[in-house]
């Protein structure tokens, strides 16, 4: 018994001595003393200059962590940037003891002042792919590895025990990160082969405490500048992020993404684009739900509910889209497009779209389609059986349409004194115009495009006004395939009678061939 007691005392004494030695080591250890060795290893691994101009603070127990300041990785030879990458401060600490219980506890992860310069030379080489160790080191390592493989006995594949397998599959019990700070980052891009320059600056990403099943406040912002095209854009994003401990479900609630774009080549003035939504991602089901998406841009407001299923295999995108009424003339003006003047002063002041969509592979469907155009409504459906082959099918109907509203304004002819009445002046003008035409003018048709058409559908207008004619039950039924375009029928009720025609256009050969059949009944 005395021997056992003495042995226990010796073991306890050794444990105390080891613990005291560990505390003394932690208290006296200074990582800055190892700067030359660290710098040498990084330079050997990358083949570039490396510098640590600040302090290195290393903690070992109970928090394993590092805080390092003013780190600079040099640029590759032949590139003009002062450095490839630099960091003002990197700070991260992990609590050791909770890891034994599959619990992760990390303090605020800080990455401040990241500065990266990406360059492309005139010969199209770049400064981010050429990271390599000196050839002698690499060759020596390769030779040593080859020799080891040739002499070492072949190992039998390890058999995992049930305990090991179960342990590997066990998820984390808890996760707690006090926050993440990615602050004041800047990324420069300089492509001298195309004279393109771009800068991503003021790049910030900050979060609140990160843990399972609890909302995490996420804020992101940056500025993007480019010379091709010339843009100066600011982006901001905020959301409440939630995920479970099995990482099977992710929620982005109160998601707000804002773009303030200053692009003088496209927009006469800076424009703001805002997207709001609640997003749910089910990873096991491979399903994304975008609920109540609100898009505000260029004076338009769009509401959508979209579901994306099987997003990693064969995505199926479907949902509803509604563009609230907007003034098309004002939207065109905001994108520097001048619409032609029309007879109706307020034409295109009210445009709206509503539809249900489905996109699966090469197939696209727009069902329950509705387009509001001022006082008219176009409704029906549009299907693309194959987007690449442009196989179009449709059935569309306007309830009423006045083409005169969208024609150029009618101007009264100017009659000089002594030239007779306005009617005589108009007749003289018509004669002058007629004299300039021969009747043999060639009509250029887009034959190549017409030969590729694969289209079938009906287009109807219940009540149509064109010039002084009142047309009812207008129908244009079209079928185009393999260079044969059939319009059968083209029919309408006009002048108290009925007009029906069949038209065929064959564009298979260089010289198109036409065939027309016309029936006119009781036209007044």
């Amino acid at each position: 018994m005395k021997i056992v007691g003495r042995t226990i005392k010796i073991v306890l004494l050794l444990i105390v001595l080891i613990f005291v030695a560990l505390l003394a080591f932690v208290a006296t250890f200074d990582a800055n003393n190892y700067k030359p060795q660290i710098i040498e290893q990084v330079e050997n691994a990358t083949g570039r200059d490396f510098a640590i101009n600040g302090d290195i603070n290393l903690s070992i127990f109970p928090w394993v962590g590092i805080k390092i300041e003013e780190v600079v990785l040099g640029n590759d030879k032949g590139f003009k940037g002062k450095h490839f990458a630099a960091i003002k401060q990197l700070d991260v600490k992990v609590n050791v003891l909770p890891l034994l219980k599959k619990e992760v506890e990390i303090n605020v992860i800080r990455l401040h002042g990241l500065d990266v310069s990406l360059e492309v030379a005139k010969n199209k080489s770049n400064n981010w792919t050429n990271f390599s160790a000196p050839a002698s080191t690499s060759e020596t390592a390769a030779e040593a590895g080859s020799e080891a493989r040739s002499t070492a006995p072949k190992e039998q594949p390890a058999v995992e025990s049930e305990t090991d397998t179960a342990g590997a599959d066990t998820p984390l019990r808890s996760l707690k990160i006090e926050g993440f700070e990615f602050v004041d980052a800047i990324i420069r891009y300089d492509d001298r082969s195309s004279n393109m320059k771009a800068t991503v600056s003021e790049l910030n990403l900050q979060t609140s405490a990160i843990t399972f099943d609890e909302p995490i406040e996420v804020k992101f912002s940056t500025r993007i500048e480019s010379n091709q095209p010339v843009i100066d854009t600011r982006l901001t994003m905020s959301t409440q992020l939630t995920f479970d401990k099995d990482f099977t479900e992710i929620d982005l609630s109160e998601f707000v993404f804002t773009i303030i774009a200053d692009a003088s080549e496209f927009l006469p003035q800076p424009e703001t684009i805002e997207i709001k939504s609640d997003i749910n991602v089910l990873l096991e089901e491979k399903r994304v739900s975008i609920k109540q998406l609100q898009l505000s841009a260029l004076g338009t407001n769009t509401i959508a509910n979209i579901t994306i299923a099987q997003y990693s295999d064969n995505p199926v995108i479907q949902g509803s889209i509604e563009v609230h009424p907007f003034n098309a003339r004002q939207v065109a003006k905001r994108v520097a497009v001048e619409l032609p003047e029309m007879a109706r002063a307020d034409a295109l002041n009210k445009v709206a779209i509503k539809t249900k969509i489905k996109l699966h592979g090469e197939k696209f469907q727009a069902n329950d389609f509705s387009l509001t155009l001022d006082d008219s409504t176009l409704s029906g459906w549009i299907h693309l059986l194959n987007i690449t082959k442009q196989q179009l099918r449709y059935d569309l109907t306007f309830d009423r349409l006045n083409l005169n509203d969208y024609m150029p304004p009618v101007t009264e002819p100017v009659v000089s004194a002594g030239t007779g009445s306005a009617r005589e002046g108009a007749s003289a003008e018509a004669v002058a115009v007629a004299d300039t035409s021969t009747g043999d003018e060639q009509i250029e048709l887009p034959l190549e495009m017409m030969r590729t058409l694969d289209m079938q559908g009906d287009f109807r207008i219940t009540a149509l006004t064109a010039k002084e004619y009142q047309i009812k039950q207008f129908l244009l039924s079209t079928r185009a395939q393999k260079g044969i375009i059939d319009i059968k029928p083209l029919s309408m009720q006009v002048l108290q009678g009925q007009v029906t025609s069949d038209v065929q256009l064959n564009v298979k050969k260089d010289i198109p061939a036409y065939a027309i059949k016309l029936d006119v009944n009781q036209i007044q």
Side-chain angles (χ1 to χ4, degrees), residues 59 90 169 171 210 428 449:
S59 61
L90 173 63
D169 294 339
I210 301 173
M449 183 274 291

Side-chain angles (χ1 to χ4, degrees), residues 119-149:
E119 298 181 58
V120 179
K122 289 186 177 181
N123 62 1
K124 296 189 178 180
S125 62
N126 62 64
N127 70 335
W128 61 83
T129 56
N130 188 21
F131 285 98
S132 60
S136 58
T137 305
S138 302
E139 291 171 4
T140 303
E143 291 174 1
S146 176
E147 184 178 349
R149 285 192 296 271

Side-chain angles (χ1 to χ4, degrees), residues 33 36 321 351 403 411 416:
N33 295 329
I321 299 175
V351 180
L403 289 180
T411 56
S416 302

Side-chain angles (χ1 to χ4, degrees), residues 384-402:
L384 275 168
L385 304 184
N386 188 297
I387 297 175
T388 302
K389 296 180 180 179
Q390 301 179 15
Q391 295 177 322
L392 176 64
R393 305 292 183 265
Y394 61 90
D395 191 339
L396 298 170
T397 302
F398 260 118
D399 56 352
R400 59 181 178 271
L401 181 63
N402 189 339

